Amino acid sequence: MIRETVTLSTASDFSGWRAWARKLLHDRVPASSIQWIVSPPPFLYAPSATRLLPNAPSTTNLPRALASLFPAVFVSEDPDRLHLLYLTLQTLRDGMSVPDQLIESLRRLATESRKRALDLRCQMPDARNPEWQILRTSHAAALIDSQADALSNLRPEPWVVIAPDRTLFWNAGEYRFGPGFTGDDLPPSELIETARSLASAGNKNAFWDGIAQVRLHPESENIAASPSLASLRAKAIDCQMCELCRPATRTVSGEGDPKARLLFIGEQPGDQEDLQGRPFVGPAGQLFDRALREAGGNRAETWVTNAVKHFKFIPRGNRRIHQKPDASDISACAPWLMTERRVLAPRVTVMLGVTAASAVLGRSVTVSRERSKHIPLEDGSIGLVTVHPSYLLRLPDEESKTREYTKFVNDLRMAISTLAG
């Protein structure tokens, strides 16, 4: 018998569901007596709005392993998902063990949602093209909403997601939500403007506060099973395999031609790379691009990445001062680099500096001893060691900079000729 009917504003209204679940658990309303429905209020897409939610103390201690499943289960398309989540909390509140069958149902629904989330992320273009990007998808609104943070981290540059049930608009600093549309007959410029006009619900609308954010929780085995560079990048945005993820803005994955046979590996993202979400775009990256052009190469035809995927720094006033990665940082990122190299399968790998060389070769490296030599790698490809371009920027005088820059260009030219040969 239905005793309580609870109305949520959207299928991604996790904060609303959580507030009502706490109250109903506190009032000892059984799961079988609750009807959960989704009915958007008329001001759901207003630029700003407030709402009142019940405020009750928590009566349940949710184990971390189960807590990690809840957002993904919440945005699943199973009609019984909210009942199953509440039933889990009710069981724990009563001091009982959650039945294996219920846990298995939660895991199955969470796995399905994470697969959909991964698929959506893989569709998001990277940040190489700063122009507006339009992502059309058929994914459900709740799934799209759950990926707002992840998609903005994957691509800091502007984009819009258009789906039958949701419009998600990101303008390099703020995302906004709107109703869905198709716009099949609209040119790109009109699509973007239509999305802009529809997506007006922003950070000041309380109905969009506390959306269920679905994370992928990548681990070594899951990383190694990645079938593509796009899926690797999509998973890496949720990486928490070391402490560097906490102060950094985002994971910075590699970019370039996924069919490239020439791979360049640097040390780690710097300040600008961390902010822009792209490798080698700061001063050292600009120097690298210039040297590669002089050597006869084209960055667009290569793949560029780093041994460590997060920016390691110490804050000093308004600045973030680069810190060299240590062995534990390199080890934590090893699954990402190893899988990236396996999927890319380059013919020539250029290690830019001691961190990259140590990460690839698995031993201590002195760049001056190993530089400009062909090094057979375990996967059958050829490795080359040279300096990191940031080394050139630190040289004290112009004569040294000119001499070392010429040697660096020659090393890049050697890599290109090795690929051609």
Side-chain angles (χ1 to χ4, degrees):
M1 178 178 178
I2 299 301
R3 174 178 161 187
E4 295 281 353
T5 297
V6 180
T7 302
L8 303 180
S9 61
T10 71
S12 55
D13 184 12
F14 193 53
S15 59
W17 177 84
R18 184 171 50 200
W20 277 106
R22 282 182 176 178
K23 180 181 187 304
L24 296 171
L25 288 164
H26 182 265
D27 294 345
R28 306 197 72 82
V29 178
S32 58
S33 299
I34 305 171
Q35 179 184 32
W36 303 93
I37 63 174
V38 175
S39 181
F43 31 82
L44 177 64
Y45 296 113
S48 63
T50 60
R51 67 168 172 169
L52 292 177
L53 290 172
N55 185 13
S58 175
T59 57
T60 305
N61 290 321
L62 186 60
R64 181 176 297 181
L66 282 177
S68 68
L69 299 176
F70 267 47
V73 173
F74 187 84
V75 304
S76 76
E77 298 177 26
D78 190 290
D80 292 329
R81 66 194 184 281
L82 303 184
H83 170 76
L84 294 176
L85 291 174
Y86 185 87
L87 182 60
T88 302
L89 295 177
Q90 176 183 291
T91 303
L92 291 169
R93 180 204 61 191
D94 294 340
M96 301 168 60
S97 298
V98 181
D100 291 344
Q101 185 176 0
L102 178 52
I103 293 177
E104 182 56 35
S105 295
L106 297 179
R107 287 175 176 165
R108 174 178 56 82
L109 295 179
T111 297
E112 292 173 357
S113 290
R114 287 170 180 157
K115 286 180 179 177
R116 294 188 182 101
L118 179 63
D119 178 73
L120 178 62
R121 293 183 187 188
C122 286
Q123 298 176 43
M124 177 57 69
D126 62 30
R128 282 178 292 173
N129 183 351
E131 301 297 324
W132 278 91
Q133 297 294 303
I134 300 170
L135 195 165
R136 291 180 177 273
T137 184
S138 59
H139 284 296
L143 191 281
I144 294 171
D145 297 345
S146 79
Q147 296 306 293
D149 280 352
L151 295 178
S152 62
N153 276 323
L154 278 170
R155 179 180 163 81
E157 298 292 344
W159 49 261
V160 60
V161 174
I162 297 171
D165 298 325
R166 175 69 73 239
T167 299
L168 180 59
F169 185 91
W170 167 257
N171 192 13
E174 178 187 35
Y175 48 73
R176 302 198 307 250
F177 304 88
F181 76 109
T182 57
D184 292 334
D185 300 327
L186 296 177
S189 60
E190 291 187 30
L191 270 177
I192 293 168
E193 288 307 311
T194 301
R196 189 194 304 270
S197 65
L198 287 173
S200 55
N203 297 335
K204 296 181 180 180
N205 187 324
F207 289 95
W208 299 96
D209 183 24
I211 291 173
Q213 296 291 337
V214 176
R215 308 296 184 189
L216 300 186
H217 306 291
E219 296 180 354
S220 295
E221 290 185 3
N222 176 261
I223 295 167
S226 301
S228 67
L229 294 167
S231 68
L232 199 63
R233 168 176 168 258
K235 294 173 184 177
I237 210 68
D238 283 339
C239 179
Q240 294 186 331
M241 297 180 70
C242 74
E243 291 300 314
L244 294 187
C245 69
R246 304 189 188 283
T249 307
R250 57 176 53 84
T251 310
V252 180
S253 295
E255 71 171 30
D257 183 353
K259 297 181 180 179
R261 306 307 307 278
L262 179 56
L263 168 64
F264 292 97
I265 303 175
E267 179 188 82
Q268 67 165 342
D271 180 75
Q272 286 303 306
E273 287 80 4
D274 176 74
L275 295 175
Q276 298 183 41
R278 300 182 58 202
F280 280 77
V281 293
Q286 295 168 22
L287 182 62
F288 167 77
D289 287 349
R290 176 161 66 91
L292 184 60
R293 287 194 299 270
E294 290 189 26
N298 181 353
R299 175 165 168 166
E301 297 174 354
T302 71
W303 190 264
V304 180
T305 193
N306 283 296
V308 175
K309 308 301 185 184
H310 285 108
F311 179 31
K312 185 174 185 177
F313 65 92
I314 56 172
R316 186 172 298 167
N318 294 326
R319 301 176 62 201
R320 301 190 297 176
I321 307 302
H322 166 279
Q323 297 292 292
K324 189 176 183 62
D326 58 29
S328 64
D329 302 323
I330 297 171
S331 177
C333 272
W336 295 112
L337 183 61
M338 184 183 303
T339 306
E340 192 173 19
R341 292 178 59 217
R342 175 187 61 77
V343 174
L344 188 65
R347 183 178 177 186
V348 177
T349 297
V350 180
M351 295 156 270
L352 303 168
V354 66
T355 298
S358 299
V360 173
L361 300 178
R363 56 179 171 81
S364 298
V365 174
T366 302
V367 171
S368 60
R369 293 178 185 171
E370 315 241 16
R371 184 176 184 177
S372 309
K373 300 176 182 178
H374 285 182
I375 302 173
L377 301 179
E378 291 184 357
D379 60 3
S381 63
I382 298 171
L384 291 167
V385 175
T386 188
V387 297
H388 192 283
S390 62
Y391 161 76
L392 305 177
L393 296 175
R394 296 193 299 269
L395 292 173
D397 58 83
E398 289 303 318
E399 181 180 350
S400 298
K401 288 183 178 180
T402 301
R403 181 182 66 252
E404 292 300 317
Y405 178 78
T406 300
K407 290 172 63 177
F408 182 60
V409 171
N410 288 338
D411 284 341
L412 300 187
R413 188 174 291 122
M414 179 181 179
I416 294 169
S417 63
T418 300
L419 181 66

